């Protein structure tokens, strides 16, 4: 799934589109006094909608933002569109809005039923070509969020094809959470109305309820702790965990379904809501084991609520010294939408601290800093945060725990299963909007950590100014540097939705015991210039996408794919997609390699599995179980 290169949309057009909308933003002055009280200043890029607003006004505001963001893949805009409790749209006038890059659309209810949108909330393919070859795809439709509301699908007024479904054509770094879909119309993860080729490569759904989901061209997808009426087709790697109505897996790989009856460890993402008194709260769900279905079936999601007054509400431009001082005083942290330049580590040292990002708030490393460090203490949650490498190499972008004395950290190992450090919708980027350099993007050196959806990406395209063609790819290899994507040394770590791509050595290294991964997706780097650049010191050809350490005694993977597209040098060979110790306690269930048009992977796991080369483009090489 080659990522097409795109140009950043001009700033003048963006400003003009937003100015034309003339919308109100959040804050004490802008918030409707009769509904919400005590609102903090959430900044100029948070738009709070009131059900008393005319539908046409809401639609114009939301779609003006979408028009500004739809092609601004590497831009700086970050947005939260929040809907206060109530109903928006009707059969006579449905509310139909679109969602572009770096945009969060969320209800402000305690439960999804508190906010009802009668209409559509959609993302379409981007057409990256010209009139002769439109090249309409969803492969680059990253960084957007839809959550915590009821969607009554109504395509009235749209043409026949568009009215046939609610289209959510997306790829990585996109989450759907706490969504209740009604209306008898399909929810489609593929935009089949726009000219082709219509490829998509997502994605993630959790804690949601659907009728029929059309998977379409989605190459891989994880649906966790949800309810579905029907799921149509699968391309390569479709994983269901704790999902009522999930398809059966016994015919794997045709269709390519992997189904776990229950999710081993889960915790739903914290969310902002308005309580009965009109005050902002953050709901922090409880961690649960062996879970199935939606968390809100019997009322409000179990957990605790934290008043917004107990958060430091940060804005771009705030110094790290200020943020750290507020964390040290016992505050939680709410990052309002925008870009935060981080020249020294933001340190989370207190148990049960919540760090919640709005609108894909982004921490960018400055002068080689590690933007975020989490101490090995119980219950810390980091959610909705994107972390970018800077132009000076950082040793790591997110550090959780420490390799020194991790088993001595306040008894966390003993209690981790009850109150794990949790990372939800935490994304990483090395290159893209600017040159990026890092040694390792994320290190997990604490026990019992829960990773619930992450995309760790060394960018295969961007606006950094590299020349086009082979030399440009070589420039990227030598300049946008990232050796390792993820390292896990902690024991009993669980990952649900682990997407890691394009790192220059090992994408994932797992050295802790008792690990569980539910859906792994990886693309090997596109851009090694020569085989020598992609050969291990011992002479092994290439580096696996998924490596389990030789000393690991127990490990489980359910549904994993490693893909190859060596476009810079199609002759490059990788010996294996997965490298694991061969012992009974290390088990891989439903894994595959896929050739996307260039390069070769000789084996799927160790020396097992057939070759994925250019004679098998798009045809996965499967191993049902290993060993």
């Amino acid at each position: 799934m080659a990522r097409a290169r795109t140009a950043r949309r001009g700033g003048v057009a963006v400003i003009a589109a937003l100015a034309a909308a003339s919308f109100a933003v959040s804050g004490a002055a802008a918030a409707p006094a009769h509904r919400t009280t005590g609102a903090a200043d959430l900044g100029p890029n948070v738009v709070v909608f009131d059900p008393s607003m005319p539908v046409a006004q809401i639609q114009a505001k939301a779609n003006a933002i979408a028009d500004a963001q739809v092609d601004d893949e590497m831009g700086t805009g970050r947005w939260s569109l929040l809907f206060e409790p109530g109903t928006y749209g009707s059969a006579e006038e449905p509310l139909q809005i679109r969602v572009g890059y770096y945009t969060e659309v969320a209800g402000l209810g305690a439960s999804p039923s508190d906010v009802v949108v009668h209409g559509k909330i959609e993302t379409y393919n981007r057409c990256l070509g010209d009139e002769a070859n439109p090249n309409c795809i969803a492969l680059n439709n990253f960084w957007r969020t839809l959550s915590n509301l009821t969607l009554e699908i109504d395509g009235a007024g749209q043409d026949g094809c568009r009215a046939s479904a609610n289209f959510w054509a997306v790829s990585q770094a996109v989450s759907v959470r706490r969504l209740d879909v009604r209306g008898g119309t399909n929810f489609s993860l593929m935009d089949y109305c726009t000219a082709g080729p219509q490829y998509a490569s997502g994605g993630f759904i959790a804690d949601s309820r659907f009728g029929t989901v059309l998977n379409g061209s989605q190459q891989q997808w994880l649906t966790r702790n949800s309810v579905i009426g029907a799921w149509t087709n699968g391309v390569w790697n479709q994983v269901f965990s704790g999902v009522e109505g999930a398809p059966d897996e016994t015919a794997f790989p045709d269709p390519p379904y992997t189904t776990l009856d229950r999710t081993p460890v889960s915790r739903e993402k914290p969310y902002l809501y308005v309580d009965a008194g009109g005050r902002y709260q953050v709901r922090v769900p409880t961690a649960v084991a062996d879970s199935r279905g939606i968390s809100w079936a019997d009322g409000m999601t179990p957990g605790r609520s934290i008043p917004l007054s107990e958060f430091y509400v940060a804005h771009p431009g705030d110094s790290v010294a200020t943020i750290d001082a507020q964390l040290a005083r016992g505050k939680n942290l709410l990052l309002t939408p925008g870009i935060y330049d981080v020249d020294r580590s933001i340190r989370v040292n207190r148990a049960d601290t919540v760090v919640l990002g709005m609108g894909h708030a982004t921490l960018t490393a400055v002068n080689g800093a590690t933007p975020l460090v989490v101490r090995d203490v119980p219950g810390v949650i980091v959610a909705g945060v994107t972390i970018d490498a800077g132009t000076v190499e950082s040793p790591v972008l997110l550090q959780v725990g420490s390799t020194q004395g991790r088993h001595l950290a306040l008894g966390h190992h003993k209690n981790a299963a009850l109150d794990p450090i949790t990372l939800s919708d935490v994304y990483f980027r090395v290159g893209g909007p600017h040159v990026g350099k890092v040694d390792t993007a994320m290190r997990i050196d604490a026990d019992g950590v829960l990773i619930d959806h992450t995309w760790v990406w060394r960018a295969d395209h961007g606006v950094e100014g590299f020349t086009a063609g082979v030399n440009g790819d070589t420039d990227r290899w030598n300049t946008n540097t990232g050796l390792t994507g993820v390292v896990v040394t902690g024991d009993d770590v669980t990952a649900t939705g682990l997407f890691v791509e394009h790192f220059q050595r090992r994408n994932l290294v797992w050295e802790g015991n008792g690990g569980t991964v539910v859906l792994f997706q990886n693309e090997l780097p596109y851009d090694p210039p020569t085989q020598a650049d992609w050969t291990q010191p011992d002479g092994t050809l290439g580096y696996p996408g998924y490596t389990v350490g030789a000393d690991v005694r127990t490990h489980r993977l359910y549904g994993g794919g490693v893909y190859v597209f060596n476009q810079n040098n199609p002759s490059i060979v990788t010996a294996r997609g997965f490298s694991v110790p061969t012992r009974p306690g290390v088990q891989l269930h439903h894994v595959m390699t896929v050739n996307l048009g260039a390069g070769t992977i000789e084996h799927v796991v160790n020396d097992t599995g057939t070759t994925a080369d250019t004679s098998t483009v798009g045809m996965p090489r499967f191993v049902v179980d290993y060993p």
Side-chain angles (χ1 to χ4, degrees):
M1 58 186 155
R3 308 290 192 209
R5 299 175 187 272
T6 59
R8 179 175 172 181
R9 181 174 173 144
V12 173
V14 173
I15 293 169
L18 296 181
S22 69
F23 45 80
V25 298
S26 71
H34 64 286
R35 298 192 60 84
T36 305
T37 62
D41 175 14
L42 298 179
N45 285 39
V46 176
V47 181
V48 179
F49 295 116
D50 180 330
S52 68
M53 293 178 176
V55 170
Q57 180 185 358
I58 296 172
Q59 189 160 293
K61 293 175 182 180
N63 286 341
I65 294 170
D67 289 342
Q69 294 298 114
V70 70
D71 290 317
D72 205 25
E73 180 181 359
M74 300 298 169
T76 59
R78 303 289 187 272
W79 292 92
S80 285
L81 309 184
L82 306 179
F83 290 79
E84 290 194 341
T87 298
Y88 299 80
S90 63
E92 295 74 27
E93 189 179 14
L95 174 62
Q96 298 168 349
I97 65 175
R98 290 171 278 105
V99 183
Y101 282 105
Y102 309 111
T103 302
E104 169 190 30
V105 177
L108 286 172
S111 293
S113 59
D114 294 339
V115 175
V116 178
V117 173
H118 185 100
K120 301 179 83 174
I121 303 172
E122 298 187 295
T123 292
Y124 302 145
N125 290 339
R126 288 177 67 206
C127 295
L128 304 174
D130 53 28
E131 209 170 299
N133 179 27
N135 191 27
C136 298
I137 57 176
L139 291 179
N140 291 7
N141 281 356
F142 310 138
W143 303 304
R144 57 204 81 191
T145 303
L146 174 58
S147 66
N148 198 33
L149 53 82
T150 294
L151 176 61
E152 294 182 344
I153 300 175
D154 189 339
Q158 296 183 322
D159 66 44
C161 185
R162 278 277 172 248
S164 65
N166 189 100
F167 293 95
W168 190 249
V170 296
S171 287
Q172 284 91 344
V174 177
S175 70
V176 173
R177 294 177 181 267
R178 297 175 58 79
L179 185 67
D180 192 7
V181 179
R182 304 175 185 170
T185 303
N186 297 330
F187 191 91
S188 179
L189 305 177
M190 168 191 179
D191 176 5
Y192 51 77
C193 296
T194 307
Q198 303 171 340
Y199 300 141
S201 179
F204 182 80
I205 289 170
D207 203 22
S208 296
R209 181 165 60 191
F210 293 86
T212 297
V213 178
L214 303 179
N215 174 267
S217 63
Q218 286 290 350
Q219 294 163 350
Q220 66 284 313
W221 196 277
L222 172 61
T223 305
R224 179 185 64 68
N225 290 80
S226 294
V227 177
I228 56 175
W231 184 279
T232 71
N233 81 286
V235 180
W236 298 335
N237 190 20
Q238 312 292 311
V239 180
F240 304 85
S241 182
V243 175
E244 297 177 15
D248 185 79
E249 70 160 37
T250 53
F252 183 91
D254 185 20
Y257 296 145
T258 302
T259 300
L260 288 74
D261 184 63
R262 294 183 175 273
T263 302
V265 181
S266 63
R267 190 208 297 264
E268 302 308 329
K269 181 180 175 182
Y271 60 94
L272 190 67
Y273 75 99
V274 177
D275 68 15
R279 295 174 292 270
Y280 279 113
Q281 306 264 358
V282 172
R283 187 67 172 177
V284 182
T286 301
V288 293
D290 297 321
S291 57
R292 189 169 190 264
I294 53 178
S295 69
W296 40 272
D298 299 319
M300 195 172 186
T301 297
R304 60 192 172 101
S305 292
I306 306 175
L308 196 60
S309 59
E310 296 183 14
F311 282 77
Y312 176 66
V313 179
H315 299 80
D318 286 358
S319 70
V320 175
T322 298
I323 292 172
D324 275 348
Q326 293 291 329
L327 289 169
R329 289 178 53 199
K331 290 281 190 177
N332 301 286
L333 178 61
L334 184 73
L335 297 166
T336 61
I339 310 294
Y340 295 76
D341 290 333
V342 181
D343 57 3
R344 72 182 208 193
S345 298
I346 296 172
R347 296 186 176 275
V348 181
N349 294 321
R350 180 177 57 85
D352 296 318
T353 300
V354 176
V355 177
L356 179 61
M358 302 179 68
H360 295 261
T362 302
L363 308 178
T364 300
V366 175
N367 294 330
T370 295
L372 188 59
V373 175
V374 177
R375 187 182 174 195
D376 185 5
V377 293
V380 172
I381 298 174
V382 179
V385 178
T386 297
I387 307 178
D388 276 3
T391 56
V392 177
E393 184 178 274
S394 296
V396 65
L397 298 178
L398 171 60
Q399 175 71 54
V400 180
S402 170
T403 56
Q404 298 181 347
R406 60 185 174 88
H407 291 293
L408 303 177
L410 299 181
H412 182 221
H413 178 61
K414 180 177 66 176
N415 297 318
L418 302 177
D419 197 12
I421 296 172
T422 304
L423 311 176
S424 298
D425 295 349
V426 177
Y427 309 134
F428 301 81
R429 182 168 56 184
V430 182
H434 48 74
V435 168
K437 297 178 182 291
V438 72
D439 184 291
T440 299
M442 177 169 68
R443 285 195 63 98
I444 306 295
D445 295 315
D447 294 328
V449 174
L450 172 60
I451 305 166
D452 187 46
H453 189 221
T454 187
W455 186 40
V456 187
W457 187 52
R458 176 179 166 265
D460 60 272
H461 65 276
V463 294
E464 309 96 323
F466 299 134
T467 56
V470 172
N471 289 337
D473 293 329
T474 301
D475 290 344
R476 182 176 298 280
W477 180 263
N478 293 324
T479 307
N480 270 354
T481 54
L483 294 183
T484 307
V486 178
V487 173
V488 177
T489 69
D491 293 338
D492 303 316
V493 172
T494 299
T496 49
L498 183 56
F499 300 75
V500 189
E501 297 192 296
H502 307 148
F503 285 84
Q504 294 173 293
R505 294 293 181 266
R506 297 187 187 273
N507 282 269
L508 172 68
V509 180
W510 201 291
E511 297 177 342
N513 278 301
T516 301
V517 178
V518 181
L519 190 137
F520 173 76
Q521 184 267 339
N522 165 253
E523 281 184 350
L524 299 174
Y526 291 1
D527 54 342
T530 69
Q531 184 70 60
D533 292 298
W534 188 240
T535 296
Q536 298 182 42
D538 66 2
T540 300
L541 297 178
Y543 293 82
Y546 193 106
T547 301
V548 177
D551 295 331
V552 172
R553 311 303 299 178
T554 56
H555 185 87
R556 300 288 187 275
L557 166 62
Y558 301 91
V562 174
Y563 313 151
V564 62
F565 184 64
N566 294 129
Q567 66 175 359
N568 201 19
N569 185 341
S571 69
I572 285 176
V573 176
T574 301
R576 54 190 60 90
F578 298 79
S579 177
V580 304
T582 302
R583 54 175 57 102
V586 177
Q587 298 183 3
L588 309 187
H589 182 61
H590 294 183
V591 294
M592 69 201 71
T593 57
V594 185
N595 188 289
L596 303 177
T600 297
I601 301 177
E602 292 183 320
H603 299 286
V604 180
V605 184
N606 297 344
D607 295 326
T608 299
T610 56
T611 299
D613 58 20
T614 53
S615 70
T616 65
V617 173
M619 296 183 287
R621 310 290 89 187
F622 291 105
V623 170
V624 176
D625 286 292
Y626 186 90

